[in-house]
Amino acid sequence: MPGPGQPQFGWGAPPGGPQPPKKRRGGVIAVCVLLGVLLAGVIALKTVSYVLKHNGDPSYAQPTPTTSYSPTNEPTEEPSGGPTSAVPTAEPTTARPTTQAPRPTATRSTATATTRPTTNPGPTDSDLVLRNRLYKAGAMRSVSCKESKARQSTVAGARANYKNLWGCLNRAWAPLVTKAGGRFRAPTVQMFSGTITTPCGTHSDSGPPFFCGSTDTIYMNLSEDLGNYNRYPQSYQKVWARMWMLHQFAHEYGHHVQNNMGILQAYARIRYERPTYAMELQDSRRLELQASCFSDIFIGANRRTYPITGQSLFQWRWLIGHVTDLGNDHGDANNHQYWATRGYNARNPSACNTFVASAAKVQ
């Protein structure tokens, strides 16, 4: 059952990417051979729904990394950012009674003038998930985001990539959130390895990265990202590891966007009232598939500059269609590919309204 301070998990640690097709001398494309480890591996998915805090001031800044957590092996980084504040709703307005003082030459005072208080309750939970103003904010423009030249083979390389993506995503999403009436604030980003204790509980690097609403923080699994990059010697596997890190980071940032716009909070309240666990799981799948759709809005909007071409495009296409939803709470591979592709092609939040989709599209 969702509640305050519970984390929103990302996708689990994957087994690796596929070998790309090779061209023969005659120009014939060879059959793509998948590694045996891919057939045996699965991507463990976990999610816990929760009530999140709201968004804050409409500003963002360049990150100023600080080491805020030191497990037994690797340090963590915390770029600038902070908790978010309330999603804007109309405040109740009441006109104060006014009394006109007696005129000096009059023998009677005027009647007291009052107005009846009027109250605007703001959007309902259904409005926030089904008809959120973000869906009408328009297409995301490219912010000319370029991949960091550093590689995640080291702690410093991973930190440089997180910092770069954090800045790009802030610049890309701030205009849309603001246009939709939200008050944008950048999330905090912290990387971890070993075991980390957060307001959302204690978590190990054997699990996936996660988003914690209590502190509006993205926790990136440093051990996973370094391990993926350094595990395989093949160049295409290293491209795959880079694309996986990109998608994971942008997915968790998608939960931050949901938090900015009140979608996460409304989702938690709606799920709390569900009469069956099956309905709760469907709500969770809608939330997670939307976060991936938001992720790929950003990737699609910046595909020319990042760039997402050639081997990068091949690995991205593969990974979005090869997820395994063991918990039945994130969405199966076909539906994940469907929503990720919608975001990538449309580059518009209107393509990501999973909450109005049929049950078949959120299995």
Side-chain angles (χ1 to χ4, degrees), residues 39-67:
L39 300 177
V42 294
I43 300 172
L45 304 177
K46 298 178 183 178
T47 186
V48 182
S49 55
Y50 56 92
V51 178
L52 295 170
K53 294 178 73 177
H54 301 276
N55 43 319
D57 297 332
S59 62
Y60 58 89
Q62 294 300 317
T64 52
T66 58
T67 300

Side-chain angles (χ1 to χ4, degrees), residues 146-307:
K146 296 180 180 179
E147 183 180 15
S148 171
K149 293 182 179 180
R151 293 292 175 258
Q152 69 228 52
S153 58
T154 65
V155 174
R159 179 184 293 116
N161 275 275
Y162 298 151
K163 177 180 178 179
N164 179 60
L165 285 172
W166 183 86
C168 288
L169 282 155
N170 289 340
R171 295 195 305 273
W173 277 109
L176 292 184
V177 170
T178 302
K179 185 176 180 180
R183 289 187 293 170
F184 178 84
R185 181 161 181 158
T188 296
V189 178
Q190 186 167 327
M191 60 187 190
F192 72 98
S193 59
T195 300
I196 184 169
T197 299
T198 77
C200 292
T202 299
H203 302 281
S204 168
D205 60 9
S206 61
F210 60 96
F211 176 82
C212 181
S214 295
T215 54
D216 201 18
T217 298
I218 296 171
Y219 292 90
M220 290 300 294
N221 188 333
L222 181 65
S223 298
E224 177 182 299
D225 287 331
L226 266 63
N228 285 342
Y229 191 85
N230 293 323
R231 184 175 298 117
Y232 307 107
Q234 300 93 335
S235 60
Y236 68 85
Q237 291 281 21
K238 295 186 183 301
V239 175
W240 176 87
R242 286 155 47 199
M243 290 300 101
W244 180 258
M245 180 180 63
L246 166 65
H247 194 275
Q248 285 280 69
F249 195 104
H251 172 94
E252 296 308 322
Y253 200 101
H255 287 309
H256 167 69
V257 173
Q258 291 170 327
N259 187 34
N260 265 226
M261 295 306 304
I263 295 172
L264 275 170
Q265 299 90 327
Y267 147 82
R269 291 188 291 266
I270 290 171
R271 179 172 171 171
Y272 183 85
E273 299 296 333
R274 292 301 192 192
T276 67
Y277 185 57
M279 294 178 70
E280 290 183 37
L281 287 176
Q282 185 181 99
D283 288 336
S284 178
R285 294 193 298 271
R286 292 183 189 278
L287 187 80
E288 293 296 336
L289 290 168
Q290 183 177 77
S292 277
C293 188
F294 284 172
S295 167
D296 292 293
I297 286 177
F298 168 77
I299 295 173
N302 293 277
R303 56 185 157 186
R304 297 187 185 280
T305 57
Y306 198 76

